[in-house]
Structures are given as C-alpha cells and as structure tokens.
C-alpha cells in the first residue's frame, strides 16, 4: 500500500533552510525561516526562560498528562499578554482558551471550532499570506477566499482593495488577519485601519480570526496587540491564535494558545468544550514543557521584567537592521529601499523576481524564499555588505 505514495517536494520554507544548511559556502546567508537570530547567527534562549527552566527541572516531580485545556498560569498569563490587563472581555468572563501545540496548533484548533459552529463559513485570507495557513485551516474542511492586501508597487497595504474585497463577505464568514508583523510582507495596518476593519465587521457580520505570532517584535508588546485589542473591545466574537515561538524563543517547545472571545460566558465555555473534543481527536493534550516555562515567566514579576527587556532589545535590533539594510541596499544598487524601514517584524519582500532570487541562491549562496521574502533578523554585521552587494549584482 505505502509503495503507492508519491514523494512530495520539501516544504517551501523548511526545505530551503535545509538547502542552506547543506551549502558548504562559508559566506552563505540564511534569510529563510522566521526565527530570531542574534549577531552571531544563533537563535538564543532568553535568560528568563533559562532561569525558569532550571527551576522547573529542579522542582518537577511528575510527567503525568497535562490537563486537556493546558497550564492555568500559562493561560492566564497569555490571555493578559494578548488582550491586555484592562480587557473588558476578560473581566466579563467572555474569553475561553485552550493551550495548543504552538501557534500552528492554535490555528488548527481555532479552525476546528469555527467549522463545528459554521461549516459553511468561508475563511478570507490576505493575498499573500503565510502558506501554512492553507493546510492548517483547510484540512478541517473550511474553504478560502482571498482579499487584496499587499501592493508590490507601493510596498505597502492596498487598504482600499482590502476593504472592497471584504465588502463581499457574508455574515458568519471568517476573516483571517495578521495581528502584527505580517508574514510574509511586513506591512501592517495602522490603528485607524484596524478601526475601519472593526466597523466593516460590524456592518458585514464577519468574525475576525487573528493570528498573532510576533507580538513584541514589531513596535513593542502593547503596540503590536493594539489592533487586535481594538477588535476585541468592539466586536462580540473574535478568534485568536497566539504563539510563544518567536517572542519567547520557544520554537521547538510548541507553546501556543487558542482564544475564543464570545458573546457571553456560557458561549465561551461551550467553545472551550468543543476545542477540547477537537484536540482529543488530534493530539489529546498539549505538550507541557514550553507552556510551563512561559507560564512561570509571565507569572513571576522579575522573570517577566527580564523577558520584556530582552524582547525589547531584539525588537530594537531588528528595527536597527531595517535601517541599515535600507541604506546599504540603496547605496549598492542605486534604488529606493525606504519601504524596509516602514515595515514591522522579521519579514520583508525585497521585490526581486524569482529569477533574481534563484541567481542569488545559485551564484551567491544567499537564501531567501522564492517570493523574495527575507528574514531581516538573519542579517548581521558580518553578512550585511555581502548581502547588499549580491542583491545589487542581480538587480
Ligand atoms: C516562517 O514563516 O518562516 C515561520 O513561521 C516558520 C514556519 O513554520 O514557516
């Protein structure tokens, strides 16, 4: 039976990272997967996470199953982090959450619950979006529509196009939004535009599903969640998938949270009960380690302060790299790269053709996605000149 299977190509993001790892060129530049890398090209463990881990390992007395909904300190800490300490929805008990295996698990559980509530709902995704959104939400049975989002000419959001396309939503449709640091383009909505999306959701009756995987890596923890919090303050229902992969460096530990902001407490409890049944049918209960670490960090004032400070340093470094890269690229190519500085988070489209991207890979060992998406955090003092010169050479 298994010999009938066709061999599939490698993942468009992870496969490229593997190709870069295998490249023997000492000057190679890895701008593929969205992980934070420091000046030495390492993806560091946060100091607060290291301390929490030492304490956890020293105190741990069991490896028994986690409760199906996850660790309570993690859930409480993450809800406050994402929705804010003054969230009315939280105070009213209208938010139900379950811990999930990473942001991907949270997206999948969110989709499972949406499908159980409204199998006919269409999910509107930005053009472009993170490619993994399609299998994560589509495998549940939901269907997709796209709305215009990125305008390659202006390197910014085509907000008029977005609004026009979302005018075609039906009541009960779901609109998938990137909470901040849009993956793949880095172009985010302004707070005013989030307000217009909230008004459109009220008018059309669609439900926002917000993927917030990069909180703290764009303009800071609070600013990055401001658009999402605005939606939650104004709308009766919002589904959220949050991740600790990037902002706590817990990539491999798979710590995420699916949140259901509902009309009332009993609907929130119903959503959680549905999420638990869905999770039981996939992985039963979430992995412990990463969420226990995040829960400790978020519930301990000293650890939380240390984590926030380290995250702010990473965010500043990325924004500094954006400034430098913009200048270096402009100087070496004579073209305008101002847009890099206007964007948020790890990603930017350099605006190269696939042919130019392939030349960069083949001739210079500079690895970015075929779409010319780069991970800005992969740039450092050692590779920035080489990168700028290589890009100029293919332009
Ligand atoms: C990315 O977009 O590179 C990251 O979100 C990692 C992944 O799983 O694709």
């Amino acid at each position: 039976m298994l010999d009938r299977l066709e061999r599939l190509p490698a993942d468009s993001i992870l496969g490229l990272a593997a190709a870069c790892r295998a490249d023997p060129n000492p000057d190679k530049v890895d701008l593929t997967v969205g992980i934070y890398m420091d000046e030495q090209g390492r993806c560091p463990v946060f100091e607060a996470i290291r301390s929490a881990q030492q304490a956890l390992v020293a105190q741990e007395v069991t490896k028994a199953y986690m409760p199906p909904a996850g660790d309570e300190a993690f859930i409480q800490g993450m809800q406050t982090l994402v929705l804010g300490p003054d969230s009315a929805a939280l105070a009213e008990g209208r938010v139900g959450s379950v811990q999930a295996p990473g942001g991907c698990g949270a997206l999948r559980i969110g989709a499972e619950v949406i499908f159980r509530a409204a199998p006919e709902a269409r999910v509107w995704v930005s053009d472009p979006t993170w490619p993994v959104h399609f299998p994560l939400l589509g495998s549940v049975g939901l269907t997709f529509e796209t709305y215009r989002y990125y305008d390659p000419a202006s390197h910014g959001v085509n907000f008029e196009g977005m609004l026009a396309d979302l005018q075609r939503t039906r009541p009960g449709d779901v609109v998938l939004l990137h909470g901040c640091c849009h993956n793949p383009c880095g172009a985010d909505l302004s707070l005013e535009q989030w307000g217009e999306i909230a008004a459109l959701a009220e008018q059309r009756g669609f439900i926002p599903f917000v993927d917030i995987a990069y909180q703290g890596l764009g303009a800071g923890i609070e600013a990055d969640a401001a658009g999402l919090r605005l939606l939650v303050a104004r709308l009766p229902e919002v589904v959220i998938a949050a991740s600790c992969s990037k902002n706590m460096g817990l990539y491999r530990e798979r710590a995420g949270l699916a949140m259901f902001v509902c009309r009332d407490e009993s609907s929130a409890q119903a959503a959680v009960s549905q999420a638990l049944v869905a999770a039981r049918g996939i992985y039963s209960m979430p992995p412990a380690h990463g969420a226990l670490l995040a829960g400790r960090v978020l519930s301990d004032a000293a650890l939380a302060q240390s984590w926030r400070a380290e995250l702010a340093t990473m965010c500043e470094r990325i924004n500094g790299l954006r400034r430098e890269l913009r200048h270096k690229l402009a100087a070496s190519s004579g073209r305008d790269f101002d847009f890099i500085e206007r964007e948020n988070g790890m990603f930017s489209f350099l605006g190269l053709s696939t042919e130019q991207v392939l030349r960069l890979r083949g001739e210079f060992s500079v690895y970015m996605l075929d779409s010319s998406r780069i991970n800005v955090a992969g740039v450092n003092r050692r590779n920035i000149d080489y990168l700028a010169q290589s890009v100029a050479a293919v332009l």
Side-chain angles (χ1 to χ4, degrees):
M1 176 178 80
L2 300 180
D3 58 359
R4 286 189 220 143
L5 291 173
E6 157 199 7
R7 183 174 177 159
L8 299 175
D11 179 83
S12 64
I13 299 176
L14 306 180
L16 261 184
C20 182
R21 274 197 300 277
D23 187 334
N25 185 345
D27 294 328
K28 67 186 174 186
V29 182
D30 184 356
L31 307 176
T32 58
V33 187
I35 56 174
Y36 178 83
M37 285 187 273
D38 63 16
E39 267 306 302
Q40 283 67 46
R42 282 186 306 248
C43 178
V45 179
F46 279 77
E47 275 312 317
I49 292 289
R50 199 183 290 285
S51 305
Q53 184 160 261
Q54 278 160 0
L56 177 67
V57 169
Q59 293 158 9
E60 196 168 54
V61 289
T62 182
K63 290 287 186 189
Y65 293 125
M66 291 289 279
D71 176 58
E72 204 44 42
F74 174 74
I75 294 172
Q76 296 303 328
M78 285 295 287
Q79 287 186 155
T80 306
L81 180 72
V82 174
L83 299 179
D86 305 323
S87 163
L90 272 181
E92 289 156 13
R94 296 194 289 116
V95 185
S97 301
V98 299
Q99 185 191 317
C104 290
L107 283 162
R108 174 65 188 263
I109 291 300
E112 293 273 354
V113 171
I114 288 165
F115 188 74
R116 284 157 180 259
E120 71 290 349
R122 302 173 303 172
V123 181
W124 291 74
V125 293
S126 61
D127 179 20
T129 195
W130 183 46
V132 193
H133 280 145
F134 293 103
L136 281 172
L137 278 64
S139 54
V140 168
L142 291 165
T143 55
F144 295 98
E145 295 282 339
T146 52
Y147 58 86
R148 277 169 283 172
Y149 188 80
Y150 183 68
D151 173 23
S154 66
H155 296 276
V157 178
N158 173 2
F159 193 59
E160 274 183 24
M162 178 179 184
L163 288 182
D165 290 344
L166 294 183
Q167 285 288 355
R168 295 191 289 113
T169 52
R170 295 194 291 247
D173 274 356
V174 172
V175 175
L176 186 67
L177 297 157
H178 297 231
C180 60
C181 310
H182 189 281
N183 182 3
C185 69
D188 283 340
L189 299 177
S190 67
L191 200 52
E192 202 185 346
Q193 289 170 333
W194 280 98
E196 290 190 50
I197 297 296
L200 194 58
E202 278 164 345
Q203 186 202 327
R204 304 292 311 166
F206 65 74
I207 296 170
F209 186 175
V210 184
D211 179 358
I212 184 152
Y214 294 85
Q215 187 182 357
L217 287 159
I221 289 179
E222 309 307 326
D224 287 348
L228 157 59
R229 291 177 188 174
L230 183 153
L231 295 186
V232 171
R234 279 182 57 176
L235 302 174
E237 296 184 332
V238 181
V239 179
I240 301 161
S243 167
C244 299
S245 296
K246 328 277 173 171
N247 61 9
M248 293 207 183
L250 287 170
Y251 305 86
R252 61 175 60 175
E253 305 294 359
R254 315 310 294 142
L257 192 73
M259 282 179 252
F260 304 93
V261 180
C262 300
R263 285 177 196 278
D264 51 40
E265 194 172 347
S266 104
S267 310
Q269 286 167 1
V272 167
S273 73
Q274 294 279 347
L276 295 182
V277 170
R280 184 70 165 147
I282 313 174
Y283 52 79
S284 277
M285 61 285 296
H289 195 69
L292 292 176
L293 299 180
R296 278 175 180 243
V297 168
L298 293 171
S299 59
D300 178 298
L303 290 180
Q305 194 185 15
S306 152
W307 165 68
R308 280 174 179 262
E310 201 170 343
L311 181 61
T313 308
M314 289 180 175
C315 183
E316 278 159 28
R317 176 167 170 274
I318 292 175
N319 290 330
L321 285 170
R322 283 187 174 279
R323 272 192 296 280
E324 260 184 78
L325 189 58
R326 166 202 161 180
H327 289 301
K328 298 259 184 199
L329 284 170
S332 57
S333 69
R335 301 204 187 189
D336 177 5
F337 282 93
D338 290 7
F339 62 88
I340 296 183
E341 221 183 309
R342 292 196 297 270
E343 299 160 345
N344 285 317
M346 290 190 188
F347 303 119
S348 179
F349 279 138
L350 286 190
L352 308 180
S353 67
T354 313
E355 195 190 352
Q356 289 166 330
V357 169
L358 294 180
R359 273 193 65 199
L360 277 173
R361 218 178 281 161
E363 294 174 30
F364 299 92
S365 295
V366 171
Y367 290 78
M368 61 188 69
L369 304 195
D370 290 359
S371 58
S372 83
R373 185 197 86 170
I374 60 164
N375 171 17
V376 177
V379 179
N380 57 47
R381 297 236 148 11
R382 281 170 298 117
N383 66 23
I384 192 164
D385 288 315
Y386 178 69
L387 170 63
Q389 285 151 15
S390 307
V391 170
V394 302
L395 272 172

